[in-house]
Amino acid sequence: MGLTLEQVVPWGRSLEEYIEMFDLIPTDRPRHTLDCAGGPASFNAEMTSSGHSVISCDPIYQFSVADIEQRIQDTWAILKDKVTAHQNDYIWNRFASPEALGATRLESMRKFLQDFPEGLKAGRYAAHELPVLPFQESQFDLALCSHFLLTYSDHLSEQFHLDSVQELCRVAAEVRIFPLLKVSGEPSPYLPAVIAQMQRLGYKAEVKPVPYEFQKGANQMLKICR
Ligand SMILES: C[S@@+](CC[C@H](N)C(=O)[O-])C[C@H]1O[C@@H](n2cnc3c(N)ncnc32)[C@H](O)[C@@H]1O
């Protein structure tokens, strides 16, 4: 893909948010999990510190801690201001204000940065990118993809989505994708084609409600399993 750091807008979410976005009940959590497009989320750091097995992949993991940290410093206030300008597109019960949101995201990204060097050495962070992942078939019990597939439907093609979802289903027994809306808040136009393809291939693919809603209307995930 030839990713440059300037193309990445780091905005990492916490374990608490992942639990609600993917409706992870406690028995889902001890499984061997892939966080695909994990970015600067603290999911891996927080899960690892409570004894769970997680690998995160994302092309930004090719960059150094210092470079990612600098990119976070350069962009987080801009992101917070963007959310402030579009406040009506969000539900403000989880976060009291754009300032509180910015502080929470910064804290998640700080946890990620602290964990990243050790996790990189341990192979818990890997610079792999969709649509092709170098993992074995069914290596993971669960693959999660937050705020990448479907979210960026205006930038990534339908074919990219079809290939990527099939790849995630190759490496994991179950795949969950959240949200189903684009950045603009409109439904991703690729969802019906993704569901149809996976059903044709013999998978169970269903839209499920989740207890998380920050972007208005983004309260469902796509769950795919054999
Ligand atoms: C908005 S962030 C989401 C981060 C995290 N999942 C979260 O919800 O907090 C999207 C991430 O997708 C990553 N990304 C971009 N292209 C990718 C690809 N082809 N495969 C996997 N991840 C990719 C970006 O580097 C970025 O970190």
Side-chain angles (χ1 to χ4, degrees):
M1 191 185 243
L3 184 84
T4 66
L5 208 44
E6 288 66 39
Q7 293 171 282
V8 178
V9 187
W11 202 225
R13 292 167 182 80
S14 65
L15 171 61
E16 196 183 321
E17 289 186 270
Y18 266 64
I19 287 172
E20 294 196 7
M21 291 186 301
F22 294 109
D23 202 13
L24 297 174
I25 55 170
T27 50
D28 288 331
R29 276 180 255 159
R31 306 198 280 176
H32 190 33
T33 304
L34 172 67
D35 182 16
C36 186
S42 58
F43 176 73
N44 191 324
E46 294 186 78
M47 285 287 276
T48 301
S49 72
S50 56
H52 299 303
S53 163
V54 178
I55 291 180
S56 303
C57 67
D58 191 302
I60 65 158
Y61 302 151
Q62 68 190 277
F63 300 108
S64 69
V65 180
D67 286 346
I68 299 174
E69 187 165 21
Q70 187 59 52
R71 182 70 186 148
I72 290 169
Q73 288 306 331
D74 292 346
T75 53
W76 84 273
I78 299 169
L79 281 172
K80 182 177 64 69
D81 291 347
K82 262 194 191 162
V83 173
T84 307
H86 296 277
Q87 274 190 64
N88 291 340
D89 296 343
Y90 300 92
I91 295 175
W92 295 98
N93 53 6
R94 163 177 305 276
F95 306 103
S97 62
E99 285 67 33
L101 168 73
T104 307
R105 290 281 148 85
L106 209 52
E107 174 60 12
S108 296
M109 294 192 283
R110 192 194 55 74
K111 284 184 188 158
F112 157 77
L113 286 170
Q114 216 167 34
D115 182 51
F116 184 50
E118 203 183 310
L120 203 57
K121 270 192 241 150
R124 289 189 289 106
Y125 295 102
H128 306 318
E129 61 189 76
L130 290 169
V132 179
L133 301 175
F135 300 118
Q136 288 167 16
E137 221 156 281
S138 305
Q139 182 171 333
F140 300 95
D141 300 305
L142 180 64
L144 305 175
C145 187
S146 152
H147 294 87
F148 175 59
L149 288 175
L150 304 177
T151 301
Y152 292 106
S153 294
D154 286 339
H155 306 277
L156 301 163
S157 69
E158 177 172 305
Q159 195 56 51
F160 178 87
H161 279 77
L162 295 174
D163 293 344
S164 295
V165 173
Q166 207 176 325
E167 180 67 346
L168 287 173
C169 289
R170 181 186 70 76
V171 303
E174 184 179 316
V175 173
R176 298 185 191 188
I177 298 170
F178 177 91
L180 310 183
L181 304 186
K182 300 192 289 185
V183 176
S184 65
E186 296 163 310
S188 164
Y190 303 144
L191 181 64
V194 166
I195 292 176
Q197 165 184 262
M198 297 320 294
Q199 287 177 342
R200 215 170 33 246
L201 292 171
Y203 290 83
K204 188 171 167 194
E206 46 183 357
V207 170
K208 308 273 279 184
V210 297
Y212 183 96
E213 184 175 0
F214 177 47
Q215 182 189 26
K216 279 183 187 165
N219 54 10
Q220 294 177 312
M221 67 169 164
L222 174 62
K223 181 175 168 181
I224 309 170
C225 50
R226 273 274 177 207

